[in-house]
Amino acid sequence: MGDRKRSSRRQRREPIRRMIPPTPGPDDRRFRRNEPALMPVYEFSPMFGQLVEAPVEVVPLLAALAVLHQKQSGMPVGTCVPTSYQISGALRHLGFDAEPVAACATLHRATDTFSEVAEVGVSKHPPVVHPDGTTNGHMVVWTSSFARLVDATLVQDPVLLAAAQVDPVYSMPVFVDVSADREEFLRSRPVVQLDDRLHASWVLLPEWTTSMDPILEGKTGTIVKLGALGLATDALRLIRALRKERDLTALPARYPRLGALLAGDERLTELPPEPLPEPAR
């Protein structure tokens, strides 16, 4: 009888809560110290499949993110500040409202026996920009045109990156539907379920956004601006090609600037013939 009672107590025990370690074990060759963390290698981004079935109104956003994700195959994990400015700049080129916002993301993983929590960014003090252009902060994109938060670099979390090596879908930009105005959005704490055991949440910290501006000084800032224009150009090409696969006739009426670009009535600025090299990662 006593043994059965002890067994029952063990079954009712709450899961152990622990912090996710900052890096995987030293025997994992993909994450060796002093080696850059790499995105998984894939022939085609899983995001291209979403473009065929997604609601028409979000196709422009998905097109920009799909182009970005395709270029990231096998590359070092992108840094959040240049990536967020590039995405928001590309969307603005296409006629949409978008802005980078400092944030702290929290990744939660739960199993039958334990739960883990890890943060991407900082929330208790302003982020620090180091001399090499890196930061301990984090950044996302808020686009009111699509009422969504976009986190394109959440995959830098070691647990999510390890999952992405098995299934590249975990490496895709994460976006959350936040149907609110800007002020409401900044007060919100968006949450998204990534799978049965993983979910992510965000604290928005707009007052710290400009504290990471030094990362964009000099050559990096120029590269980010050109990258935003290049991303917009490639996204526009993708949307044009997609018109052969599905009906996108509703886009011009909904998004006049994009409609004018698709019709050729307006044009994006042409890219320089010799693009600058990729920024250091």
Side-chain angles (χ1 to χ4, degrees):
M1 182 67 72
D3 290 341
R4 283 197 295 270
K5 286 182 179 178
R6 284 195 294 271
S7 176
S8 175
R9 283 196 295 270
R10 284 197 295 269
Q11 291 172 2
R12 292 197 300 268
R13 185 180 62 189
E14 291 297 318
I16 298 170
R17 183 177 177 85
R18 68 188 190 197
M19 296 298 293
I20 297 175
T23 56
D27 293 334
D28 190 332
R29 294 182 181 179
R30 293 169 300 182
F31 301 100
R32 287 279 178 84
R33 188 180 296 274
N34 298 325
E35 291 185 9
L38 300 179
M39 291 281 282
V41 176
Y42 38 85
E43 185 177 3
F44 298 109
S45 167
M47 296 202 70
F48 288 127
Q50 296 185 8
L51 283 166
V52 179
E53 299 179 356
V56 171
E57 61 269 20
V58 297
V59 163
L61 173 62
L62 292 180
L65 297 179
V67 168
L68 177 69
H69 190 243
Q70 181 62 40
K71 292 182 178 181
Q72 291 175 328
S73 172
M75 300 295 290
V77 174
T79 51
C80 62
V81 176
T83 300
S84 295
Y85 273 90
Q86 182 172 310
I87 292 170
S88 58
L91 292 175
R92 288 196 296 269
H93 278 301
L94 296 174
F96 304 104
D97 292 326
E99 64 174 299
V101 179
C104 181
T106 303
L107 186 71
H108 309 261
R109 181 166 72 118
T111 72
D112 294 335
T113 57
F114 64 86
S115 63
E116 299 178 315
V117 180
E119 286 190 344
V120 179
V122 291
S123 59
K124 294 181 172 61
H125 54 80
V128 175
V129 175
H130 303 292
D132 63 356
T134 60
T135 178
N136 61 348
H138 188 54
M139 189 166 280
V140 298
V141 173
W142 159 241
T143 168
S144 58
S145 297
F146 301 101
R148 279 167 171 78
L149 173 150
V150 179
D151 191 331
T153 60
L154 185 63
V155 69
Q156 67 188 276
D157 175 87
V159 168
L160 203 56
L161 187 58
Q165 305 301 328
V166 178
D167 186 348
V169 73
Y170 289 98
S171 68
M172 296 192 307
V174 176
F175 48 91
V176 190
D177 187 354
V178 186
S179 299
D181 61 27
R182 184 179 185 277
E183 294 308 312
E184 246 185 298
F185 163 74
L186 294 176
R187 291 194 301 268
S188 68
R189 295 206 172 190
V191 179
V192 67
Q193 194 77 27
L194 302 174
D195 63 22
D196 291 342
R197 297 181 180 275
L198 282 169
H199 74 272
S201 62
W202 291 264
V203 175
L204 289 312
L205 304 161
E207 66 275 16
W208 293 346
T209 300
T210 57
S211 67
M212 292 183 275
D213 282 355
I215 295 173
L216 301 172
E217 291 176 354
K219 187 177 180 179
T220 298
T222 301
I223 293 172
V224 168
K225 288 180 181 177
L226 289 175
L229 179 57
L231 182 57
T233 301
D234 289 341
L236 191 61
R237 289 180 185 144
L238 179 56
I239 296 170
R240 285 182 176 137
L242 189 62
R243 290 187 297 185
K244 299 177 182 178
E245 306 294 329
R246 60 174 298 183
D247 181 8
L248 296 179
T249 53
L251 281 180
R254 189 178 184 94
Y255 305 126
R257 162 70 171 168
L258 180 64
L261 289 169
L262 290 171
D265 298 330
E266 295 183 19
R267 296 181 182 277
L268 294 172
T269 304
E270 290 190 11
L271 285 163
E274 296 182 4
L276 290 173
E278 293 290 326
R281 292 174 182 264

